[in-house]
Amino acid sequence: MTNARSRQITKAVIPAAGLGTRFLPATKATPKEMLPVVDKPAIQYVVEEAASAGLTDVLMITGRNKRPLEDHFDRAYELEELLIRKGEQAKLDRVRESSDLATMHYVRQGDPKGLGHAVLCAEPHVADQPFAVLLGDDLIDPRDPLLAKMIEVQRELGGSVVALIKVEPSQAHLYGCAAVRPAEWHATLGADDEIVRITDLVEKPAPGEAPSSYAVIGRYVLDPSVFEVLHDTAPGLHGEIQITDALRVLAQRTPGRGGPVHGVIFKGRRYDTGDRGDYLRAIVRLACEREDLGPDFRAWLRDFVGSGELDGVAQDTPVQLQEAPVQVSAVPDAPAEVPAAQDAAVQDAVAADAVSLAD
């Protein structure tokens, strides 16, 4: 297969067939991709990222119980008509955002045989064109256009491109890790120290055996030669077909045969929604930065942090207010006859004192 250098990239593949077991029971009946991040499902951020990079043809790899994904990116005529009648234009615009982002296609993975197998399901749709793969667990801040840079690197250098981040050695076993060396100088890209040449890849290496501290995150721009390699890739870690193993083969190939593989080192803002703790942190960070929610939410967050509740010293019982001592003075004997009006006033005063003491 010839190298796909310089061909326009218009297609994105989004694997979304996972069961989301880390978020049970929330994902028992709801796809994990539909869990809201503030007020949009996580998957919409991913499709928005693809569309902003010019990838208007999106293939989503789904599975059973993923129908809500298709519904979300479809038109909702009844809801739209209701919002039109009520004159709620702002809500109408937000509802229509998802259906206007890109041309959406769907195919079911069937057997969950790993990310490499999910990518292989895209072969009939992608054919012999280079394409991007975006994983829904990684949300990239739109102010840090990672995918656009990866597409530029692939267009200029050919082969495949993966996104890398630098991780602590203790975290390397959670990722696919890459052995890298500096990339060759290029007339257009120059000597960019964020672009490296990948010489080897290992999927979730054992502690202490990672080839470097550079870990692969969920963004790829792939040469279509990857399909040929995936067909011949045996199941690897956890008995699954790993995209990392296929890229390891391509990293050793020449440009005419689908190689090489480059990495773009990403130093921007990334929100990991695949872990419960990171998912919550992503919501807080994105909510703080919203113009419509941020000011009030940040104020509440400052008060909450300052309340001591985070340190476990918040008062769980109502505050007991200290009552002032009641001053009792001697009351002279009342005259034998008290006028009716004065008697009523005295009774009212006594009643008021009784109520005050009861409170």
Coordinates of all heavy atoms in Angstrom, one line a residue, residues 15-68:
P15 N -14.1 5.2 18.5 CA -14.5 4.0 19.2 C -15.4 4.3 20.4 O -15.0 5.1 21.3 CB -13.2 3.3 19.5 CG -12.2 3.9 18.7 CD -12.6 5.4 18.5
A16 N -16.6 3.7 20.5 CA -17.5 4.0 21.6 C -18.3 2.8 21.9 O -19.5 2.8 22.2 CB -18.4 5.2 21.2
A17 N -17.6 1.6 21.9 CA -18.3 0.4 22.2 C -18.1 -0.2 23.6 O -18.6 -1.2 24.0 CB -17.9 -0.7 21.2
G18 N -17.3 0.5 24.4 CA -16.9 0.1 25.8 C -18.1 0.1 26.7 O -19.1 0.8 26.5
L19 N -18.1 -0.8 27.7 CA -19.2 -0.9 28.6 C -19.2 0.1 29.8 O -20.2 0.2 30.5 CB -19.2 -2.4 29.2 CG -19.4 -3.5 28.1 CD1 -19.4 -4.8 28.8 CD2 -20.8 -3.3 27.4
G20 N -18.0 0.7 30.0 CA -18.0 1.7 31.1 C -18.2 1.1 32.5 O -18.8 1.7 33.3
T21 N -17.5 0.0 32.7 CA -17.7 -0.7 34.0 C -17.2 0.1 35.2 O -17.7 -0.1 36.3 CB -17.1 -2.1 34.0 OG1 -15.7 -1.9 33.6 CG2 -17.7 -3.0 33.0
R22 N -16.3 1.0 35.0 CA -15.8 1.8 36.1 C -16.8 2.8 36.6 O -16.7 3.4 37.7 CB -14.5 2.6 35.7 CG -13.3 1.7 35.6 CD -12.1 2.5 35.2 NE -12.1 2.9 33.8 CZ -11.2 3.5 33.2 NH1 -10.1 3.9 33.8 NH2 -11.3 3.8 31.9
F23 N -17.9 3.0 35.9 CA -18.9 4.0 36.3 C -20.3 3.3 36.6 O -21.3 3.9 36.7 CB -19.2 5.0 35.2 CG -18.1 6.1 35.1 CD1 -16.9 5.9 34.5 CD2 -18.3 7.3 35.8 CE1 -15.9 6.8 34.4 CE2 -17.3 8.2 35.8 CZ -16.1 8.0 35.1
L24 N -20.2 2.0 36.9 CA -21.4 1.3 37.3 C -21.8 1.8 38.7 O -21.0 2.1 39.5 CB -21.2 -0.2 37.4 CG -21.1 -0.9 36.0 CD1 -20.7 -2.4 36.2 CD2 -22.5 -0.9 35.3
P25 N -23.1 1.9 39.0 CA -24.3 1.5 38.2 C -24.8 2.5 37.2 O -25.8 2.3 36.5 CB -25.3 1.2 39.2 CG -25.1 2.2 40.3 CD -23.6 2.3 40.3
A26 N -24.1 3.7 37.1 CA -24.6 4.8 36.2 C -24.7 4.3 34.8 O -25.6 4.7 34.0 CB -23.8 6.0 36.4
T27 N -23.7 3.4 34.4 CA -23.7 3.0 33.0 C -24.4 1.7 32.8 O -24.2 1.1 31.7 CB -22.2 2.9 32.6 OG1 -21.5 2.1 33.6 CG2 -21.5 4.2 32.5
K28 N -25.2 1.2 33.7 CA -25.9 0.0 33.5 C -26.9 0.2 32.3 O -27.0 -0.8 31.5 CB -26.7 -0.3 34.8 CG -27.6 -1.6 34.6 CD -28.4 -1.8 35.9 CE -29.3 -3.1 35.7 NZ -30.1 -3.3 37.0
A29 N -27.5 1.3 32.2 CA -28.5 1.5 31.1 C -28.2 2.7 30.3 O -28.8 3.0 29.3 CB -29.9 1.7 31.6
T30 N -27.1 3.5 30.6 CA -26.7 4.7 29.9 C -25.3 4.5 29.4 O -24.4 4.2 30.2 CB -26.8 5.9 30.9 OG1 -28.1 6.1 31.4 CG2 -26.4 7.2 30.1
P31 N -25.0 4.8 28.1 CA -23.6 4.7 27.6 C -22.7 5.6 28.4 O -23.1 6.8 28.7 CB -23.8 5.0 26.2 CG -25.2 4.8 25.8 CD -26.0 5.1 27.1
K32 N -21.5 5.2 28.7 CA -20.6 6.0 29.4 C -20.3 7.3 28.7 O -20.0 8.4 29.3 CB -19.3 5.3 29.8 CG -18.4 5.0 28.5 CD -17.1 4.4 28.9 CE -16.2 4.2 27.7 NZ -14.9 3.8 28.1
E33 N -20.4 7.2 27.3 CA -20.1 8.4 26.5 C -21.2 9.5 26.7 O -20.9 10.6 26.3 CB -20.0 8.0 25.1 CG -18.8 7.1 24.7 CD -19.1 5.6 25.0 OE1 -20.3 5.3 25.3 OE2 -18.2 4.8 24.8
M34 N -22.3 9.1 27.2 CA -23.4 10.1 27.4 C -23.4 10.7 28.8 O -24.3 11.5 29.1 CB -24.8 9.4 27.1 CG -25.0 9.0 25.6 SD -24.9 10.5 24.6 CE -26.4 11.4 25.2
L35 N -22.5 10.3 29.6 CA -22.5 10.9 31.0 C -22.1 12.4 30.8 O -21.2 12.8 30.0 CB -21.4 10.3 31.8 CG -21.7 8.8 32.2 CD1 -20.5 8.3 33.0 CD2 -23.0 8.7 33.0
P36 N -22.9 13.3 31.5 CA -22.7 14.7 31.2 C -21.4 15.3 31.8 O -21.0 14.9 32.9 CB -23.9 15.3 31.9 CG -24.3 14.4 33.0 CD -23.9 13.0 32.4
V37 N -20.7 16.1 31.1 CA -19.6 16.9 31.6 C -20.2 18.4 31.6 O -20.2 19.0 30.6 CB -18.4 16.8 30.8 CG1 -17.2 17.6 31.3 CG2 -18.0 15.3 30.7
V38 N -20.6 18.8 32.8 CA -21.4 20.0 33.0 C -22.7 19.8 32.4 O -23.6 19.1 32.9 CB -20.7 21.3 32.5 CG1 -21.5 22.5 32.9 CG2 -19.2 21.4 33.0
D39 N -23.0 20.3 31.1 CA -24.3 20.1 30.6 C -24.3 19.6 29.1 O -25.2 19.7 28.4 CB -25.1 21.5 30.6 CG -24.3 22.6 29.9 OD1 -23.2 22.3 29.4 OD2 -24.8 23.7 29.9
K40 N -23.2 18.9 28.8 CA -23.1 18.3 27.5 C -22.5 16.9 27.7 O -21.6 16.7 28.6 CB -22.1 19.0 26.5 CG -22.7 20.3 25.9 CD -21.8 20.8 24.8 CE -20.4 21.2 25.3 NZ -19.7 21.9 24.2
P41 N -23.0 15.9 27.0 CA -22.3 14.5 27.1 C -20.9 14.6 26.7 O -20.5 15.3 25.8 CB -23.2 13.6 26.3 CG -23.9 14.6 25.3 CD -24.1 15.9 26.0
A42 N -20.1 13.7 27.3 CA -18.7 13.7 27.0 C -18.4 13.5 25.5 O -17.5 14.1 24.9 CB -18.0 12.6 27.8
I43 N -19.2 12.7 24.8 CA -18.9 12.4 23.4 C -19.1 13.6 22.5 O -18.5 13.7 21.5 CB -19.9 11.2 23.0 CG1 -19.4 10.6 21.6 CG2 -21.3 11.7 22.9 CD1 -18.1 9.9 21.7
Q44 N -19.9 14.5 22.9 CA -20.1 15.7 22.1 C -18.9 16.6 22.0 O -18.5 17.1 21.0 CB -21.3 16.6 22.6 CG -21.6 17.8 21.7 CD -22.9 18.5 22.0 OE1 -23.8 17.9 22.5 NE2 -22.9 19.8 21.7
Y45 N -18.1 16.7 23.2 CA -16.9 17.4 23.2 C -15.9 16.8 22.1 O -15.2 17.5 21.4 CB -16.2 17.3 24.5 CG -16.9 18.1 25.6 CD1 -17.9 17.6 26.4 CD2 -16.5 19.5 25.9 CE1 -18.5 18.3 27.4 CE2 -17.1 20.2 26.9 CZ -18.2 19.6 27.6 OH -18.8 20.3 28.6
V46 N -15.9 15.5 22.0 CA -15.0 14.8 21.1 C -15.4 15.1 19.7 O -14.5 15.4 18.8 CB -15.0 13.3 21.4 CG1 -14.1 12.5 20.4 CG2 -14.6 13.0 22.8
V47 N -16.7 15.0 19.3 CA -17.1 15.3 18.0 C -16.9 16.7 17.6 O -16.5 17.1 16.5 CB -18.6 14.9 17.8 CG1 -19.1 15.3 16.4 CG2 -18.8 13.4 18.0
E48 N -17.0 17.6 18.6 CA -16.7 19.0 18.4 C -15.3 19.2 18.0 O -14.9 20.0 17.1 CB -17.1 19.9 19.6 CG -18.6 20.0 19.8 CD -19.0 20.7 21.1 OE1 -18.0 20.9 21.9 OE2 -20.1 21.1 21.3
E49 N -14.4 18.5 18.7 CA -13.0 18.6 18.4 C -12.6 18.2 17.0 O -11.9 18.8 16.3 CB -12.2 17.8 19.5 CG -10.7 17.8 19.3 CD -10.0 16.8 20.2 OE1 -10.6 16.2 21.1 OE2 -8.7 16.7 19.9
A50 N -13.2 17.0 16.6 CA -13.0 16.6 15.3 C -13.5 17.6 14.2 O -12.8 17.9 13.3 CB -13.7 15.2 15.1
A51 N -14.7 18.1 14.4 CA -15.2 19.1 13.5 C -14.4 20.3 13.4 O -14.2 20.9 12.3 CB -16.7 19.4 13.9
S52 N -13.9 20.8 14.5 CA -13.1 22.0 14.5 C -11.8 21.8 13.8 O -11.2 22.8 13.3 CB -12.8 22.5 16.0 OG -12.0 21.6 16.6
A53 N -11.3 20.6 13.7 CA -10.1 20.3 12.9 C -10.4 20.0 11.5 O -9.5 19.6 10.7 CB -9.4 19.1 13.6
G54 N -11.6 20.2 11.0 CA -12.0 20.0 9.6 C -12.4 18.6 9.3 O -12.6 18.2 8.1
L55 N -12.6 17.7 10.3 CA -13.0 16.3 10.1 C -14.5 16.2 10.2 O -15.1 16.1 11.2 CB -12.4 15.4 11.0 CG -10.8 15.5 11.2 CD1 -10.3 14.5 12.1 CD2 -10.2 15.4 9.8
T56 N -15.2 16.4 9.0 CA -16.7 16.5 9.0 C -17.4 15.2 8.7 O -18.6 15.1 8.7 CB -17.1 17.5 8.0 OG1 -16.5 17.2 6.7 CG2 -16.6 18.9 8.3
D57 N -16.6 14.1 8.5 CA -17.1 12.8 8.3 C -16.7 11.9 9.5 O -15.6 11.5 9.6 CB -16.6 12.2 7.0 CG -17.2 10.9 6.6 OD1 -17.5 10.1 7.5 OD2 -17.3 10.6 5.4
V58 N -17.7 11.6 10.3 CA -17.4 10.9 11.6 C -18.0 9.5 11.6 O -19.2 9.4 11.4 CB -17.8 11.8 12.8 CG1 -17.6 11.0 14.1 CG2 -17.1 13.1 12.8
L59 N -17.2 8.5 11.9 CA -17.7 7.2 12.0 C -17.6 6.8 13.5 O -16.5 6.8 14.0 CB -16.9 6.2 11.2 CG -17.3 4.7 11.4 CD1 -18.7 4.4 10.9 CD2 -16.3 3.8 10.7
M60 N -18.7 6.4 14.1 CA -18.6 6.0 15.5 C -18.8 4.5 15.6 O -19.7 3.9 15.0 CB -19.8 6.7 16.3 CG -19.6 6.7 17.8 SD -20.7 7.9 18.6 CE -20.1 9.5 18.0
I61 N -17.8 3.9 16.3 CA -17.9 2.4 16.5 C -18.6 2.1 17.7 O -18.2 2.5 18.8 CB -16.5 1.8 16.5 CG1 -15.6 2.3 15.4 CG2 -16.5 0.3 16.5 CD1 -16.0 2.0 14.0
T62 N -19.8 1.5 17.6 CA -20.7 1.4 18.8 C -20.9 -0.1 19.1 O -20.3 -1.0 18.5 CB -22.0 2.0 18.6 OG1 -22.7 1.3 17.5 CG2 -21.9 3.5 18.2
G63 N -21.8 -0.4 20.0 CA -22.1 -1.8 20.4 C -23.6 -1.8 20.9 O -24.3 -0.8 20.7
R64 N -23.9 -2.9 21.5 CA -25.3 -3.0 22.0 C -25.5 -1.9 23.1 O -24.6 -1.5 23.8 CB -25.5 -4.4 22.6 CG -25.5 -5.5 21.6 CD -25.8 -6.8 22.1 NE -27.2 -6.9 22.5 CZ -27.7 -7.0 23.7 NH1 -26.8 -6.9 24.8 NH2 -29.0 -7.0 24.0
N65 N -26.8 -1.5 23.2 CA -27.2 -0.5 24.2 C -26.5 0.9 24.0 O -26.5 1.7 24.9 CB -26.8 -0.9 25.6 CG -27.5 -2.3 26.0 OD1 -28.6 -2.5 25.6 ND2 -26.8 -3.1 26.7
K66 N -26.1 1.2 22.8 CA -25.5 2.5 22.4 C -26.4 3.4 21.6 O -26.0 4.4 21.1 CB -24.1 2.3 21.7 CG -23.1 1.5 22.6 CD -22.5 2.4 23.6 CE -21.4 1.7 24.4 NZ -20.7 2.6 25.3
R67 N -27.7 3.0 21.5 CA -28.6 3.8 20.6 C -28.7 5.2 21.1 O -28.9 6.1 20.2 CB -30.0 3.1 20.7 CG -31.0 3.8 19.8 CD -30.6 3.8 18.3 NE -31.5 4.6 17.5 CZ -32.6 4.0 16.9 NH1 -32.8 2.7 17.1 NH2 -33.4 4.8 16.2
P68 N -28.6 5.6 22.4 CA -28.7 7.0 22.7 C -27.6 7.9 22.1 O -27.8 9.1 21.9 CB -28.5 7.0 24.3 CG -29.0 5.6 24.7 CD -28.6 4.7 23.6

